[in-house]
């Protein structure tokens, strides 16, 4: 049932992306770290870092750093409350603007195909304070910040391909999609669909707590002030899920 829902969802997103007209395209490279550390039966913390560069690896386009406290509801469900600092490069002003962000997250995973494959659902609500830059007398100045609410839903599927030395070491395929929805009335973006990220790739799982993934990421950005932007990226990720509590 979960697979049917996922493919219907994926078809909707693909149709939306293909219907985009007047789309501006470019290329990026993403480097991503995501670590979750369990320190007790019910508590842990999460660290994330993302560096987005142009396809020549010369210009840093965005970097973000996230930290959060995790509460484990069960072995397959958890909730997180966190903070993020995001710096994004404005190519028209040749300067970075800052974003301070609070976020709340619910995570649930399930196994299928004799527990070889996994489907993960991630719901994330964000409260964003985004710096607004402008030019005054030839100088770039900050005009304060504007506020935006955003809801993100990610569907992530890990599909077993082949075992290596043991059942805990494998090569797998990754298929995931994440949709960003504008929530409420705000000055950031009046479009309902803020952006969409579709990723397909391959991963290496080591002992079920360290994963390395590389893939193709297609990102559609739907800003109300400009044409839609489609970004084709190589995504490189290191993921850790470690238990630090004493056994």
């Amino acid at each position: 049932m979960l697979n049917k829902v996922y493919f219907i969802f994926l078809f909707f997103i693909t149709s939306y992306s293909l219907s985009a007209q007047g789309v501006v395209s470019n290329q990026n490279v993403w480097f991503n770290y995501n670590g979750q550390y369990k320190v007790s039966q019910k508590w842990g913390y999460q660290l994330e870092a993302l560096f987005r560069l142009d396809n020549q690896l010369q210009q840093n386009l965005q970097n973000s750093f996230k930290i959060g406290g995790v509460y484990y509801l069960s072995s397959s469900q958890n909730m997180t409350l966190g903070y993020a600092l995001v710096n994004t490069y404005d190519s028209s002003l040749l300067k970075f603007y800052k974003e301070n962000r609070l976020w709340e997250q619910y995570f649930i995973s399930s196994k299928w195909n004799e527990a070889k494959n996994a489907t993960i659902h991630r719901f994330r609500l964000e409260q964003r304070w985004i710096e607004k830059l402008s030019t005054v007398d030839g100088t770039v100045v900050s005009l304060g910040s504007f506020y935006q609410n955003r809801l993100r839903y990610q569907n992530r599927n890990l599909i077993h391909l082949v075992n290596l030395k043991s059942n805990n070491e494998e090569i797998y395929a990754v298929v995931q999609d994440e949709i960003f929805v504008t929530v409420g009335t705000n000055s950031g973006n009046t479009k309902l669909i803020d952006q969409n990220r579709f990723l397909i790739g391959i991963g290496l799982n080591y002992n079920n707590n360290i994963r390395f993934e590389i893939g193709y990421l297609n990102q559609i950005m739907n800003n109300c002030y400009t044409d839609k932007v489609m970004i084709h990226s190589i995504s490189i990720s290191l993921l850790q899920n470690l238990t630090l509590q004493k056994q």
Side-chain angles (χ1 to χ4, degrees), residues 6-24:
Y6 173 70
F7 284 113
I8 292 172
F9 175 81
L10 180 59
F11 175 78
F12 168 77
I13 294 302
T14 303
S15 299
Y16 168 80
S17 300
L18 292 177
S19 67
Q21 297 181 357
V23 173
V24 178

Side-chain angles (χ1 to χ4, degrees), residues 70-237:
V70 183
Y71 179 74
Y72 294 93
L73 300 169
S74 68
S75 61
S76 61
Q77 300 181 66
N78 63 64
M79 301 175 67
T80 306
L81 173 64
Y83 166 77
L85 175 63
V86 183
N87 297 292
T88 304
Y89 184 68
D90 187 328
S91 59
S92 64
L93 299 175
L94 304 179
K95 191 174 178 65
F96 286 88
Y97 61 88
K98 294 183 178 180
E99 175 185 342
N100 291 286
R101 183 186 302 175
L102 296 177
W103 53 280
E104 303 82 40
Q105 177 176 291
Y106 172 67
F107 173 102
I108 181 170
S109 64
S110 60
K111 300 283 188 178
W112 51 282
N113 189 23
E114 300 179 349
K116 293 181 180 180
N117 303 336
T119 295
I120 299 164
H121 303 276
R122 190 185 77 181
F123 301 85
R124 181 177 287 182
L125 181 63
E126 299 174 332
Q127 299 82 47
R128 310 170 66 199
W129 289 266
I130 307 170
E131 185 179 20
K132 186 175 182 179
L133 300 179
S134 185
T135 302
V136 177
D137 297 328
T139 302
V140 178
V141 297
S142 175
L143 301 181
S145 62
F146 60 88
Y147 178 75
Q148 182 185 63
N149 293 309
R150 189 168 67 181
L151 176 65
R152 300 165 58 167
Y153 166 67
Q154 182 188 92
N155 182 290
R156 174 173 162 85
N157 291 268
L158 308 180
I159 303 169
H160 172 81
L161 296 179
V162 62
N163 287 333
L164 297 177
K165 294 181 180 180
S166 69
N167 291 335
N168 291 334
E169 298 178 17
E170 63 169 340
I171 295 176
Y172 59 93
V174 184
V175 182
Q176 73 179 45
D177 194 89
E178 184 171 19
I179 187 170
F180 296 63
V181 179
T182 301
V183 178
T185 302
N186 55 73
S187 59
N189 189 1
T190 58
K191 296 290 186 68
L192 175 63
I193 306 298
D194 179 76
Q195 62 175 285
N196 187 78
R197 298 175 183 174
F198 173 76
L199 181 142
I200 185 167
I202 193 167
L204 173 65
N205 173 24
Y206 177 74
N207 204 29
N208 285 331
N209 53 34
I210 298 177
R211 296 177 181 270
F212 175 78
E213 297 177 359
I214 184 169
Y216 164 73
L217 175 66
N218 180 280
Q219 180 184 15
I220 292 284
M221 302 187 68
N222 189 32
N223 194 293
C224 61
Y225 302 110
T226 63
D227 291 332
K228 290 179 181 177
V229 177
M230 179 180 290
I231 303 174
H232 308 277
S233 300
I234 296 173
S235 176
I236 301 171
S237 299

Side-chain angles (χ1 to χ4, degrees), residues 29-35 47-52 64 66 122 154 156 176 197 199 211-213 234-240:
V29 179
W30 291 41
F31 296 96
N32 179 57
Y33 173 78
N34 189 319
L47 299 174
E48 295 183 29
L50 171 66
F51 300 92
R52 194 176 78 200
S64 67
K66 300 183 181 74
R122 190 185 77 181
Q154 182 188 92
R156 174 173 162 85
Q176 73 179 45
R197 298 175 183 174
L199 181 142
R211 296 177 181 270
F212 175 78
E213 297 177 359
I234 296 173
S235 176
I236 301 171
S237 299
L238 175 64
L239 302 95
Q240 290 184 303

